Amino acid sequence: NAGVMQNPRHLVRRRGQEARLRCSPVKGHSHVYWYRQLPEEGLKFMVYLQKENIIDESGMPKERFSAEFPKEGPSILRIQQVVRGDSAAYFCASSPGGANTEAFFGQGTRLTVV
Amino acid sequence: GQQLNQSPQSMFIQEGEDVSMNCTSSSIFNTWLWYKQEPGEGPVLLIALYKAGELTSNGRLTAQFGITRKDSFLNISASIPSDVGIYFCAGHLTAAGNKLTFGGGTRVLVKP
């Protein structure tokens, strides 16, 4: 997981505010994935992006959640009008893509909605 | 959708013991990955398996990709206290895109 940088590590938001989570992939990796983990559970896939394109967003809630991976800069997971149920750890992973599917994870952002 | 059943959910280890955990799936996967997660951290990749029947070792860790492509196991030999953590299996199916499907985790704890 060396190289995948997520910030902030902890984020507290009041209900109704916006949360922006950032992820810088391993240098040279063009594939980014976002996962959500609730306490005592495994990681659940949210969205898969490949530079400037959303490839698969089947795990992302239809409302309030959006993700981007611009040509320059980190990938951003944005949650609008947060609710208590959004409290979770959000992990970003990156991979080189192609036949190599080994995904390396960042340390996560722990979002708490109060 | 695909689901991974991981067992046991938790186990206690005593130093020097061998530990085993497994994952089964309702559908086939092309790749199996095993991760370890420690409190407050992200999952760390331990072993990746790419071929049915493949047996791969990484130090004291050994994992196998089941011949049916629907299961995998992870063994830890001669456990030590730093083996404590949560171990996750994850499966990847090419036709489903590059996303990983994770098991619920096996929590490895030290015997009191």
Side-chain angles (χ1 to χ4, degrees):
Chain A
N1 63 343
V4 178
M5 303 299 295
Q6 287 188 251
N7 67 82
R9 290 289 307 275
H10 300 274
L11 183 61
V12 179
R13 283 287 177 266
R14 295 186 186 279
R15 281 179 294 169
Q17 290 185 318
E18 178 181 287
R20 290 171 71 88
L21 288 61
R22 295 176 192 77
C23 168
S24 296
V26 172
K27 189 175 180 182
H29 286 190
S30 57
H31 297 241
V32 164
Y33 317 80
W34 285 93
Y35 290 81
R36 177 163 63 179
Q37 184 180 35
L38 296 172
E40 309 296 318
E41 293 188 11
L43 283 74
K44 296 287 193 296
F45 169 80
M46 297 181 73
V47 62
Y48 161 39
L49 307 106
Q50 186 182 353
K51 273 302 180 184
E52 298 185 271
N53 294 308
I54 295 176
I55 307 300
D56 182 351
E57 55 182 350
S58 58
M60 197 131 86
K62 294 284 185 283
E63 296 177 354
R64 302 187 299 108
F65 285 73
S66 62
E68 63 178 14
F69 188 17
K71 190 176 179 182
E72 302 291 338
S75 176
I76 306 286
L77 178 67
R78 184 177 172 212
I79 312 173
Q80 295 178 288
Q81 298 173 314
V82 295
V83 300
R84 288 226 171 99
D86 297 333
S87 295
Y90 292 83
F91 290 97
C92 167
S94 73
S95 75
N100 186 338
T101 57
E102 294 179 17
F104 295 90
F105 283 81
Q107 293 180 300
T109 294
R110 275 136 190 93
L111 172 66
T112 303
V113 180
V114 297
Chain B
Q2 299 153 330
Q3 290 199 351
L4 289 185
N5 296 308
Q6 192 170 343
S7 65
Q9 285 188 314
S10 61
M11 59 168 55
F12 287 91
I13 60 169
Q14 196 152 46
E15 192 166 352
E17 281 183 343
D18 293 347
V19 169
S20 185
M21 60 195 79
N22 67 77
C23 258
T24 59
S25 169
S26 55
S27 49
I28 62 173
F29 284 104
N30 298 122
T31 305
W32 283 91
L33 304 167
W34 284 92
Y35 288 87
K36 180 186 178 186
Q37 185 179 29
E38 299 191 18
E41 300 294 327
V44 174
L45 182 63
L46 300 173
I47 291 182
L49 301 155
Y50 292 101
K51 284 168 38 175
E54 180 182 356
L55 184 73
T56 297
S57 292
N58 178 8
R60 293 179 297 105
L61 306 176
T62 302
Q64 183 157 34
F65 191 153
I67 199 75
T68 64
R69 295 165 65 194
K70 289 186 179 182
D71 63 299
S72 176
F73 72 74
L74 175 70
N75 286 343
I76 307 172
S77 62
S79 57
I80 59 178
S82 61
D83 289 333
V84 162
I86 305 176
Y87 292 79
F88 289 100
C89 62
H92 167 260
L93 181 63
T94 308
N98 271 13
K99 63 188 176 193
L100 296 176
T101 300
F102 278 81
T106 294
R107 188 178 297 271
V108 174
L109 305 157
V110 175
K111 265 183 195 171

